[in-house]
Amino acid sequence: MKKYLAIAVICLAAIINFKGTLLKKDGPHRLEILFLGHTATHHLSDKLADILSQEYFKDGINITYTTDVNDLNEATLSKYDGLVVYANYDTISKAHAEALLQFVKSGKGFIPLHCASFCFRNNDEVVKLIGGQFKSHNTGTFDMTIVDKKHQITKNLAPFSTWDETYVHTKINPAIHVLTERVEGDHHEPYTWTNTYGKGRVFYTAYGHDERTWKNPGFLKLVENGIIWAVGKKAEKQLNKLPKPQGTYTEADIPNYEKRDPAPKLQAPLSPAESQLLTQVPVDFKLELFAQEPDIEKPIAMAWDERGRLWIVETIDYPNTVLENKEQGSDRIKICEDTNGDGKADKFTVFADKLNLPTSIVFARGGVIVSQAPYFLFLKDTNGDDKADIRETIINGFGFTDTHAVASNLHYGFDNKIWGTVGYSGFNGTVAGQELRFSQEVYRFSPDVKTFELMGSTSNNTWGLGFSENNDVFVSTANNSHSDYLGIPRSYLTGIGLPSSTSVLKLDGHYNMHVVTKNLRQVDVHDGFTAAAGHNLYTARNFPQQYWNRIGMVNEPTGRVIHQAILEPYGAGFKERDGWNLLASADEWMAPVQSEVGPDGAVWVADWYNFIIQHNPIPKGFVNGKGNAYVNPLRDRTHGRIYRIVYKNAKPSPIKSLDKNNPDDLIKGLQSDNLFWRLTAQRLIVESGNKAIAPKLYELIRNNTVDLINTNGPAVNALWTLHGLGLLDGSNAEALTVAEVALRHSAPGVRKAALQVLPPTARTSATIERTSILNDLNLNTRLAAILAIADLPQSDAMGTELLAAQKKPENMNDKWLSLAFDVAISKHVKGAAEGIKAKNQETTEKEGLARARVAQTIKVTVVKNEMKFDVKTITARAGTVIEIEFTNPDFMQHNLLILQKGSLEKVGAAADKLAQDPKGIEQNYIPKMPEVLFSTKLINPNESVKVRFRVPAEAGDYPFICSFPGHWRIMNGIMKVTK
């Protein structure tokens, strides 16, 4: 059987456009089903789509999910074999109805499920097409009665029982053919039926309110049969001809974190062709193989040079081969070239070998910088043989106690610096003359490592970083934080008393991944993003417009998916919306770890191809390795693939390579609609130091046009190129003038870039004051303006303007703008910094306490009728966080105050004074004095309250009292703080 599949796959390889769409339309192909759901929560359409996709995918059915009714148009529907509707849309427009009716009439399948019979009620023809309309329901458990046992849909279907909504229909089309009924006494309600319309077929069932039915094997079989029947005999015939690899499974010692029953088995690896048959990409796209084993092995990272050649980092040593001598490793950097233009690599050159656990690569200074904890290496070929003959350690100090939390994701940034991330393995060392110790951080440094700056704290194991075309920074981390936004660099925020974690905001708009296999193996965040890696955006123009500068690609190797994170402007920042997947696979070895736009505008995918992805914690029965990953002989060391996700209507890239010695060529690169070429050209110009190119940069910046999404990428990169050449340091008047004029550019991203590249001088201050950019309509650009002002020399006039602007509702109510105003005001308004910092530190402490682990919970109760606490002594360890639960069963009010050592009498006297103050009760009789460290409010009889605080660092006896008038003398005790 396996031999037959391999032969069939080879025969089909030339014609199949994977995700199932075929170049030869009438050939064997997977069924393409569009599933129209909704965002309502009464019927969880996304959950049902997930269940159906996981159930049917290996049978050759692709399900594409949408909640956009506008997808009911001729162009979109023509790409699919069938349409499932499970949603609550009361009405349908005339255009959408005509498209739907024509779709079915042309011979396609329509599959309305359950609540779909209450959709589109304003159009009688559509109601007739569905076959009936929902009228009412109760709920209950009931049996299926099959009316037609000979129909293709029901002939092999066993009747089932389920709890569901008991639909009653009206407007039943007499032309429908009833397959099943719901029998209630003498009433026989049509419950599943078929209909025809022109050349097309309709399958409807009223089953399907929630998971009690969705996971019923009988329901799943019924709907699958209905889909296959509805798409018609021709599509069914082609589906039956399509090879459908199921994989070979054997018993193996596999960690069962989810405690699945039965326990997971080991799938044998598949060939790339077989793997592609089990992998879905969007309709109109195809998955093309570029390289595979044995030519490449275990690709963990990739990048392209100015010649358009792919460079990959191979790590056979990952995760547990941690060597003291890093030059004895098995890992490599390899150049992969397609020399004959057939879309596949045919030349492989080892640029550098004897590496140990490298994780990332970026081009800089005529060579490459590679992250290989504890070192960052600079590798360069000086004689043109594509082999590194320079190998220098440029940074030393990155941790490697856990190899999946090490430094990674090196990128060349707009600011001509190298950006990267690190997880909790952290850094401890000296870099750029600074002694630094940090972990879980985004950082950047100059290619010569003369500067190094921390940008913002992340969470956990960070393995994702990406830029938008407007220089917005996005991050992904493992463990339920797959999309974050770095809104304000940490140096601004720590200056006003805020922690560096404030710089990075979790954007996740949803929890679940959408996978096409039920055989997941995840340590935690089950069914969610437990291993998010990469956050590159689609920054070219070869894909359809909805992708441009909008879709973040987040890889999740445990789910075998590349998620589409839709990044939408939200005030000065962004929010993330679920865009489902760019790629999803049921091959249990496929492991996408990086996806990024390549030189051709396609999305390239590094498939680490490994059955074992999980790292730690250590499962029972296994041992820990040197990389803090559990040791498992099933970890693969030989496979690996590189794919390209290609839009079938994409135009060829006009640029194949750039000549770094040809200024005209580099200007063409800056004019590309692909950010890869623009950044590459920018880097090459900056590295060349060729300031004579400036007039051509001015032309690009002065071009005031915008594209379809209101951007002008060439002008943005040209501004940063000027900056990198040192032409905006005040030495070149024309360059400064060009950048200043760009503050009024039509594209918000260009205005933002101008703000970021102009020097923090009095001239820039005067220029900004002459513009209205502090009130820019684009709030993201306004954010850049406020931060730019924060860098300018102190100005009372600017302070006055900031105070006025801060009061505008859109500034006060936006997270990022409100923070930025605090930063700028603390600089320009004399005396404001201290108050802002104190406010923020107090807020930070409260938030920190709210999140902190409580070392001890102590219950303190008032002794009824005795005006005493039930405990006289509390013992707590210095510096820990404790929580006191204070309960009052007495007939009168009480509170609880923790006091500074030796201050009982002083605070007690102040409390007595409050008894004489008419407003004392408003203060809960709590004196406003530093000796009162922590307190609760006054609580009424039979109430309780909790107070959480960090125990003082100094050991000793700290009094606690009730400060209600007269109580403190007898209602007191001691908190003994120990070291």
Side-chain angles (χ1 to χ4, degrees), residues 45 172 197-198 312 322 331 422 439 469-470 621 780:
S45 57
I172 292 178
Y197 190 80
I312 63 171
V322 181
D331 299 342
V422 68
S439 68
E469 295 179 55
N470 292 330
N780 185 262

mmCIF file with all atom_site columns, all heavy atoms in Angstrom, residues 45 172 197-198 312 322 331 422 439 469-470 621 780:
data_model
loop_
_atom_site.group_PDB
_atom_site.id
_atom_site.type_symbol
_atom_site.label_atom_id
_atom_site.label_alt_id
_atom_site.label_comp_id
_atom_site.label_asym_id
_atom_site.label_entity_id
_atom_site.label_seq_id
_atom_site.pdbx_PDB_ins_code
_atom_site.Cartn_x
_atom_site.Cartn_y
_atom_site.Cartn_z
_atom_site.occupancy
_atom_site.B_iso_or_equiv
_atom_site.pdbx_formal_charge
_atom_site.auth_seq_id
_atom_site.auth_comp_id
_atom_site.auth_asym_id
_atom_site.auth_atom_id
_atom_site.pdbx_PDB_model_num
ATOM 1  N N   . SER A 1 45  ? -19.702 28.848 15.786  1.00 0.00 ? 45  SER A N   1
ATOM 2  C CA  . SER A 1 45  ? -19.398 28.348 14.452  1.00 0.00 ? 45  SER A CA  1
ATOM 3  C C   . SER A 1 45  ? -17.926 27.986 14.294  1.00 0.00 ? 45  SER A C   1
ATOM 4  O O   . SER A 1 45  ? -17.589 27.018 13.603  1.00 0.00 ? 45  SER A O   1
ATOM 5  C CB  . SER A 1 45  ? -19.801 29.388 13.399  1.00 0.00 ? 45  SER A CB  1
ATOM 6  O OG  . SER A 1 45  ? -19.157 30.631 13.627  1.00 0.00 ? 45  SER A OG  1
ATOM 7  N N   . ILE A 1 172 ? -41.617 24.884 4.266   1.00 0.00 ? 172 ILE A N   1
ATOM 8  C CA  . ILE A 1 172 ? -40.903 23.727 3.722   1.00 0.00 ? 172 ILE A CA  1
ATOM 9  C C   . ILE A 1 172 ? -41.172 23.619 2.228   1.00 0.00 ? 172 ILE A C   1
ATOM 10 O O   . ILE A 1 172 ? -42.331 23.635 1.776   1.00 0.00 ? 172 ILE A O   1
ATOM 11 C CB  . ILE A 1 172 ? -41.316 22.446 4.451   1.00 0.00 ? 172 ILE A CB  1
ATOM 12 C CG1 . ILE A 1 172 ? -40.801 22.498 5.914   1.00 0.00 ? 172 ILE A CG1 1
ATOM 13 C CG2 . ILE A 1 172 ? -40.774 21.211 3.750   1.00 0.00 ? 172 ILE A CG2 1
ATOM 14 C CD1 . ILE A 1 172 ? -41.192 21.310 6.745   1.00 0.00 ? 172 ILE A CD1 1
ATOM 15 N N   . TYR A 1 197 ? -30.889 22.442 -7.226  1.00 0.00 ? 197 TYR A N   1
ATOM 16 C CA  . TYR A 1 197 ? -31.123 23.791 -7.761  1.00 0.00 ? 197 TYR A CA  1
ATOM 17 C C   . TYR A 1 197 ? -30.232 23.934 -8.991  1.00 0.00 ? 197 TYR A C   1
ATOM 18 O O   . TYR A 1 197 ? -29.010 23.988 -8.867  1.00 0.00 ? 197 TYR A O   1
ATOM 19 C CB  . TYR A 1 197 ? -30.772 24.844 -6.717  1.00 0.00 ? 197 TYR A CB  1
ATOM 20 C CG  . TYR A 1 197 ? -31.200 26.242 -7.084  1.00 0.00 ? 197 TYR A CG  1
ATOM 21 C CD1 . TYR A 1 197 ? -32.521 26.653 -6.901  1.00 0.00 ? 197 TYR A CD1 1
ATOM 22 C CD2 . TYR A 1 197 ? -30.287 27.149 -7.605  1.00 0.00 ? 197 TYR A CD2 1
ATOM 23 C CE1 . TYR A 1 197 ? -32.925 27.937 -7.236  1.00 0.00 ? 197 TYR A CE1 1
ATOM 24 C CE2 . TYR A 1 197 ? -30.674 28.436 -7.938  1.00 0.00 ? 197 TYR A CE2 1
ATOM 25 C CZ  . TYR A 1 197 ? -31.995 28.828 -7.748  1.00 0.00 ? 197 TYR A CZ  1
ATOM 26 O OH  . TYR A 1 197 ? -32.379 30.104 -8.082  1.00 0.00 ? 197 TYR A OH  1
ATOM 27 N N   . GLY A 1 198 ? -30.841 23.953 -10.164 1.00 0.00 ? 198 GLY A N   1
ATOM 28 C CA  . GLY A 1 198 ? -30.055 23.927 -11.384 1.00 0.00 ? 198 GLY A CA  1
ATOM 29 C C   . GLY A 1 198 ? -29.240 22.662 -11.423 1.00 0.00 ? 198 GLY A C   1
ATOM 30 O O   . GLY A 1 198 ? -29.750 21.558 -11.248 1.00 0.00 ? 198 GLY A O   1
ATOM 31 N N   . ILE A 1 312 ? 20.592  28.937 5.340   1.00 0.00 ? 312 ILE A N   1
ATOM 32 C CA  . ILE A 1 312 ? 19.859  28.305 6.440   1.00 0.00 ? 312 ILE A CA  1
ATOM 33 C C   . ILE A 1 312 ? 20.814  27.946 7.569   1.00 0.00 ? 312 ILE A C   1
ATOM 34 O O   . ILE A 1 312 ? 22.007  27.705 7.353   1.00 0.00 ? 312 ILE A O   1
ATOM 35 C CB  . ILE A 1 312 ? 19.088  27.045 5.991   1.00 0.00 ? 312 ILE A CB  1
ATOM 36 C CG1 . ILE A 1 312 ? 20.046  25.956 5.495   1.00 0.00 ? 312 ILE A CG1 1
ATOM 37 C CG2 . ILE A 1 312 ? 18.047  27.387 4.937   1.00 0.00 ? 312 ILE A CG2 1
ATOM 38 C CD1 . ILE A 1 312 ? 19.369  24.613 5.249   1.00 0.00 ? 312 ILE A CD1 1
ATOM 39 N N   . VAL A 1 322 ? 24.882  20.045 24.257  1.00 0.00 ? 322 VAL A N   1
ATOM 40 C CA  . VAL A 1 322 ? 25.455  21.319 24.696  1.00 0.00 ? 322 VAL A CA  1
ATOM 41 C C   . VAL A 1 322 ? 26.937  21.093 24.962  1.00 0.00 ? 322 VAL A C   1
ATOM 42 O O   . VAL A 1 322 ? 27.310  20.377 25.893  1.00 0.00 ? 322 VAL A O   1
ATOM 43 C CB  . VAL A 1 322 ? 24.745  21.841 25.964  1.00 0.00 ? 322 VAL A CB  1
ATOM 44 C CG1 . VAL A 1 322 ? 25.331  23.177 26.394  1.00 0.00 ? 322 VAL A CG1 1
ATOM 45 C CG2 . VAL A 1 322 ? 23.247  21.974 25.711  1.00 0.00 ? 322 VAL A CG2 1
ATOM 46 N N   . ASP A 1 331 ? 26.589  21.390 13.906  1.00 0.00 ? 331 ASP A N   1
ATOM 47 C CA  . ASP A 1 331 ? 25.671  22.307 13.238  1.00 0.00 ? 331 ASP A CA  1
ATOM 48 C C   . ASP A 1 331 ? 26.382  23.134 12.169  1.00 0.00 ? 331 ASP A C   1
ATOM 49 O O   . ASP A 1 331 ? 27.613  23.305 12.199  1.00 0.00 ? 331 ASP A O   1
ATOM 50 C CB  . ASP A 1 331 ? 24.997  23.210 14.264  1.00 0.00 ? 331 ASP A CB  1
ATOM 51 C CG  . ASP A 1 331 ? 24.171  22.417 15.270  1.00 0.00 ? 331 ASP A CG  1
ATOM 52 O OD1 . ASP A 1 331 ? 23.845  21.246 14.966  1.00 0.00 ? 331 ASP A OD1 1
ATOM 53 O OD2 . ASP A 1 331 ? 23.870  22.945 16.345  1.00 0.00 ? 331 ASP A OD2 1
ATOM 54 N N   . VAL A 1 422 ? 15.439  37.157 23.465  1.00 0.00 ? 422 VAL A N   1
ATOM 55 C CA  . VAL A 1 422 ? 15.967  36.076 24.288  1.00 0.00 ? 422 VAL A CA  1
ATOM 56 C C   . VAL A 1 422 ? 14.885  35.676 25.289  1.00 0.00 ? 422 VAL A C   1
ATOM 57 O O   . VAL A 1 422 ? 14.093  36.521 25.722  1.00 0.00 ? 422 VAL A O   1
ATOM 58 C CB  . VAL A 1 422 ? 17.266  36.507 25.022  1.00 0.00 ? 422 VAL A CB  1
ATOM 59 C CG1 . VAL A 1 422 ? 16.992  37.574 26.070  1.00 0.00 ? 422 VAL A CG1 1
ATOM 60 C CG2 . VAL A 1 422 ? 17.966  35.300 25.662  1.00 0.00 ? 422 VAL A CG2 1
ATOM 61 N N   . SER A 1 439 ? 16.798  38.946 31.113  1.00 0.00 ? 439 SER A N   1
ATOM 62 C CA  . SER A 1 439 ? 16.201  37.782 30.460  1.00 0.00 ? 439 SER A CA  1
ATOM 63 C C   . SER A 1 439 ? 14.837  38.189 29.937  1.00 0.00 ? 439 SER A C   1
ATOM 64 O O   . SER A 1 439 ? 14.302  39.241 30.287  1.00 0.00 ? 439 SER A O   1
ATOM 65 C CB  . SER A 1 439 ? 16.066  36.605 31.439  1.00 0.00 ? 439 SER A CB  1
ATOM 66 O OG  . SER A 1 439 ? 15.105  36.884 32.433  1.00 0.00 ? 439 SER A OG  1
ATOM 67 N N   . GLU A 1 469 ? 5.822   47.469 7.779   1.00 0.00 ? 469 GLU A N   1
ATOM 68 C CA  . GLU A 1 469 ? 6.470   48.385 6.842   1.00 0.00 ? 469 GLU A CA  1
ATOM 69 C C   . GLU A 1 469 ? 6.564   49.802 7.407   1.00 0.00 ? 469 GLU A C   1
ATOM 70 O O   . GLU A 1 469 ? 7.284   50.634 6.850   1.00 0.00 ? 469 GLU A O   1
ATOM 71 C CB  . GLU A 1 469 ? 5.715   48.393 5.513   1.00 0.00 ? 469 GLU A CB  1
ATOM 72 C CG  . GLU A 1 469 ? 5.763   47.054 4.797   1.00 0.00 ? 469 GLU A CG  1
ATOM 73 C CD  . GLU A 1 469 ? 4.994   47.061 3.497   1.00 0.00 ? 469 GLU A CD  1
ATOM 74 O OE1 . GLU A 1 469 ? 5.266   47.913 2.634   1.00 0.00 ? 469 GLU A OE1 1
ATOM 75 O OE2 . GLU A 1 469 ? 4.089   46.215 3.341   1.00 0.00 ? 469 GLU A OE2 1
ATOM 76 N N   . ASN A 1 470 ? 5.837   50.062 8.479   1.00 0.00 ? 470 ASN A N   1
ATOM 77 C CA  . ASN A 1 470 ? 5.902   51.367 9.140   1.00 0.00 ? 470 ASN A CA  1
ATOM 78 C C   . ASN A 1 470 ? 6.730   51.307 10.423  1.00 0.00 ? 470 ASN A C   1
ATOM 79 O O   . ASN A 1 470 ? 6.605   52.181 11.280  1.00 0.00 ? 470 ASN A O   1
ATOM 80 C CB  . ASN A 1 470 ? 4.496   51.881 9.441   1.00 0.00 ? 470 ASN A CB  1
ATOM 81 C CG  . ASN A 1 470 ? 3.739   52.237 8.171   1.00 0.00 ? 470 ASN A CG  1
ATOM 82 O OD1 . ASN A 1 470 ? 4.332   52.625 7.175   1.00 0.00 ? 470 ASN A OD1 1
ATOM 83 N ND2 . ASN A 1 470 ? 2.424   52.076 8.203   1.00 0.00 ? 470 ASN A ND2 1
ATOM 84 N N   . GLY A 1 621 ? 9.327   9.006  33.659  1.00 0.00 ? 621 GLY A N   1
ATOM 85 C CA  . GLY A 1 621 ? 9.997   7.927  32.960  1.00 0.00 ? 621 GLY A CA  1
ATOM 86 C C   . GLY A 1 621 ? 11.119  8.382  32.049  1.00 0.00 ? 621 GLY A C   1
ATOM 87 O O   . GLY A 1 621 ? 11.819  7.548  31.460  1.00 0.00 ? 621 GLY A O   1
ATOM 88 N N   . ASN A 1 780 ? -0.927  56.323 15.616  1.00 0.00 ? 780 ASN A N   1
ATOM 89 C CA  . ASN A 1 780 ? 0.375   55.674 15.700  1.00 0.00 ? 780 ASN A CA  1
ATOM 90 C C   . ASN A 1 780 ? 1.481   56.674 15.381  1.00 0.00 ? 780 ASN A C   1
ATOM 91 O O   . ASN A 1 780 ? 2.529   56.696 16.044  1.00 0.00 ? 780 ASN A O   1
ATOM 92 C CB  . ASN A 1 780 ? 0.419   54.488 14.732  1.00 0.00 ? 780 ASN A CB  1
ATOM 93 C CG  . ASN A 1 780 ? 1.694   53.685 14.839  1.00 0.00 ? 780 ASN A CG  1
ATOM 94 O OD1 . ASN A 1 780 ? 2.614   53.877 14.052  1.00 0.00 ? 780 ASN A OD1 1
ATOM 95 N ND2 . ASN A 1 780 ? 1.752   52.780 15.801  1.00 0.00 ? 780 ASN A ND2 1
#
